[in-house]
Amino acid sequence: MTNRHHVVDVPLDPYIDGARRAVPGPTHPTFDPATGEVLREVPVCDAAVVDEAVHAARAALKGPWANVAPAERGRMLLRVAQSLRADAQKLAVVAV
């Protein structure tokens, strides 16, 4: 049985500054470890894309997030964790 159906609809382009960013250039295959089947090609980010992501992350720390009370940050991160748990199977297949 293939896990391909779990990964076809998952967007893999990097998420930078609130939006998906198309990455031109090479891709890298992701394999099903049980079968060796290529599940999907994932984009390879070059140094410029990584720099863009780091810059956006640093800017975000100086934006509205900096003014969110620690207790509210905790509640928000808990919701993120709950979402991750809900999609754990899909995420595990993509991470392979």
Side-chain angles (χ1 to χ4, degrees), residues 16 21 45-54:
I16 301 173
R21 163 106 159 47
C45 296
D46 62 14
V49 174
V50 173
D51 287 345
E52 183 182 347
V54 170

Side-chain angles (χ1 to χ4, degrees), residues 18-89:
R20 291 273 169 212
R21 163 106 159 47
V23 179
T27 60
H28 181 76
T30 299
F31 298 94
D32 180 331
T35 66
E37 174 188 17
V38 173
L39 294 173
R40 188 137 176 221
E41 294 285 326
V42 297
V44 175
C45 296
D46 62 14
V49 174
V50 173
D51 287 345
E52 183 182 347
V54 170
H55 177 75
R58 286 186 177 147
L61 289 175
K62 296 176 186 169
W65 183 253
N67 298 318
V68 176
E72 180 59 21
R73 285 185 192 181
R75 285 189 288 275
M76 294 167 80
L77 292 172
L78 181 59
R79 287 193 301 269
V80 170
Q82 290 167 338
S83 293
L84 290 173
R85 274 190 225 105
D87 287 333
Q89 179 61 38

